[in-house]
């Protein structure tokens, strides 16, 4: 377990957004979005395509600046002008493409751009032994047992590649870990692997922002849930304020699905009525 951050000891959120808005011309990407990210907790941001999840990620990671509202880190207002500024404050983002080179080894990818060196002056060189030892240690601390750090990262499963990216962010000092749809392209077993590593990061005292469109992945690991729909918030809930069924219903469209099921039942034949029953079941969670 890592040392407690000042935010965790004081109870101040690591990150907080208050009534954040973002516009692209006449397009409202985000409108009055508020939530918090606490140390040792997972905040899940849920929504379908076009809900505003990517725009929120880019604001948190310093790619975009909010047009209205406040963004606070450790209780202090900030206005990042680049991802490097956010990273310097310990806010690391792991995108879906993972920024890895498939033909390079696990340990080379782990230290890509931040290679440990030995020697001095013109005799400096990549400290391969230290890099391999560090990779093994960091991955084992996250509960990840890589067969061989020399193997190309492209030979790992999707869940294993995600776990390497998470461990890399933790090693380089992340206090907040933003995960962009880490389970979206994975099967059930591999998604479970990633969810376990999310909990490992949380238990080490990090604040985790888990972006997903799947409430069944979010609810088991989440401590807080922000639901987005077309750039607006459907609610920001602590876990004891919402059930899995309510979360699923809000994500599924609730009233919209129920209205559609009624239309299907009004005379489109047996197959349509069966589809209507399935939609009702989905809407009811």
């Amino acid at each position: 377990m890592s040392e407690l951050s000042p935010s965790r000891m004081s109870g101040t959120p690591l990150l907080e957004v208050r009534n954040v808005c973002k516009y692209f011309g006449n397009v409202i990407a985000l409108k009055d979005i508020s939530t918090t990210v606490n140390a040792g907790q997972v905040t899940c941001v849920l929504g379908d395509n076009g809900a505003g999840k990517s725009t929120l990620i880019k604001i948190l990671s310093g790619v975009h600046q909010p047009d209205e509202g406040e963004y606070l880190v450790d209780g202090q207002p900030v206005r990042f002008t680049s991802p490097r500024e956010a990273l310097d404050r310990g806010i690391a983002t792991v995108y879906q493409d993972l920024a890895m080179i498939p033909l390079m080894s696990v340990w080379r990818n782990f230290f890509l751009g931040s290679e440990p060196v030995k020697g001095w002056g013109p005799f400096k060189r990549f400290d391969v032994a230290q890099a391999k030892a560090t990779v093994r240690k960091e991955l084992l601390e996250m509960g990840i047992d890589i067969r061989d750090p020399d193997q190309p990262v492209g030979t790992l499963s999707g869940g294993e590649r995600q776990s390497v990216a998470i461990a890399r962010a933790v090693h380089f000092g992340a206090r907040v870990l933003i995960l962009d749809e880490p389970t979206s392209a994975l099967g059930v077993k591999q998604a479970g692997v990633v969810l376990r590593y999310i909990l490992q990061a949380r238990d080490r005292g990090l604040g985790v922002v888990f972006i997903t469109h799947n409430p069944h992945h979010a609810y088991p690991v989440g401590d807080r849930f922000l639901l987005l729909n077309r750039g607006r918030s459907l609610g920001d809930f602590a876990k004891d304020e919402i059930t899995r069924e309510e979360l699923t219903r809000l994500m599924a469209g609730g009233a919209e699905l129920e209205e559609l099921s009624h239309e299907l039942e009004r005379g489109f034949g047996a197959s349509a009525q069966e589809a209507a029953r399935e939609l009702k079941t989905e809407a009811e969670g």
Side-chain angles (χ1 to χ4, degrees):
M1 182 77 69
S2 61
E3 292 183 4
L4 294 179
S5 69
S7 288
R8 189 169 191 181
M9 291 186 290
S10 67
T12 303
L14 287 173
L15 296 186
E16 185 175 3
V17 288
R18 297 177 182 170
N19 300 314
V20 159
C21 303
K22 184 66 183 177
Y23 310 108
F24 296 101
N26 293 327
V27 176
I28 301 174
L30 292 175
K31 183 67 173 176
D32 295 329
I33 303 302
S34 300
T35 194
T36 59
V37 181
N38 292 298
Q41 292 189 351
V42 179
T43 295
C44 300
V45 180
L46 298 103
D48 287 328
N49 292 336
K53 303 190 304 296
S54 294
T55 303
L56 181 59
I57 289 174
K58 289 176 180 177
I59 288 175
L60 296 178
S61 62
V63 176
H64 293 325
Q65 293 77 46
D67 294 317
E68 297 175 15
E70 286 188 294
Y71 179 15
L72 298 93
V73 176
D74 296 322
Q76 299 298 316
V78 297
R79 192 168 182 84
F80 296 134
T81 59
S82 71
R84 170 54 61 184
E85 290 184 13
L87 192 58
D88 288 343
R89 295 292 296 270
I91 302 166
T93 304
V94 177
Y95 291 100
Q96 288 181 0
D97 60 12
L98 300 178
M100 290 186 177
I101 301 174
L103 295 180
M104 275 191 176
S105 65
V106 173
W107 61 270
R108 286 296 300 270
N109 271 282
F110 193 94
F111 285 102
L112 196 61
S114 302
E115 292 81 0
V117 295
K118 60 182 178 180
W120 56 276
F123 302 105
K124 281 185 179 178
R125 59 196 183 279
F126 197 155
D127 191 341
V128 174
Q130 180 187 339
K132 291 183 180 181
T134 300
V135 167
R136 283 193 177 278
K137 173 178 176 291
E138 290 295 327
L139 293 179
L140 283 173
E141 285 187 2
M142 289 287 292
I144 307 161
D145 188 8
I146 292 294
R147 296 176 292 279
D148 179 6
D150 282 306
Q151 71 185 101
V153 81
T155 64
L156 300 179
S157 69
E160 288 172 329
R161 286 196 297 273
Q162 285 282 353
S163 66
V164 171
I166 292 171
R168 179 175 64 184
V170 173
H171 171 72
F172 285 106
R175 299 166 57 229
V176 177
L177 190 60
I178 303 172
L179 303 175
D180 178 22
E181 298 270 11
T183 60
S184 63
L186 304 180
V188 174
K189 183 176 180 180
Q190 289 301 317
V193 168
V194 173
L195 295 178
R196 186 168 72 247
Y197 298 140
I198 289 174
L199 293 178
Q200 290 270 12
R202 180 199 69 183
D203 291 345
R204 292 182 68 170
L206 276 73
V208 181
V209 182
F210 177 22
I211 313 293
T212 182
H213 62 271
N214 192 328
H216 302 292
H217 291 169
Y219 200 80
V221 300
D223 299 290
R224 185 159 211 90
F225 305 94
L226 170 64
L227 281 80
L228 299 179
N229 182 32
R230 299 180 184 178
R232 289 173 167 80
S233 174
L234 295 177
D236 181 39
F237 307 95
K239 191 161 192 170
D240 59 4
E241 296 173 338
I242 191 168
T243 66
R244 185 198 302 259
E245 291 71 25
E246 290 168 337
L247 188 66
T248 303
R249 178 179 172 79
L250 283 170
M251 277 293 298
E256 293 177 11
L257 279 181
E258 191 168 343
E259 181 180 345
L260 177 58
S261 70
H262 288 322
E263 289 180 12
L264 290 171
E265 285 178 332
R266 280 199 290 265
F268 291 100
S271 61
Q273 290 178 9
E274 177 62 29
R277 284 192 291 271
E278 292 180 3
L279 282 171
K280 272 190 173 179
T281 301
E282 181 78 11
E284 291 168 359

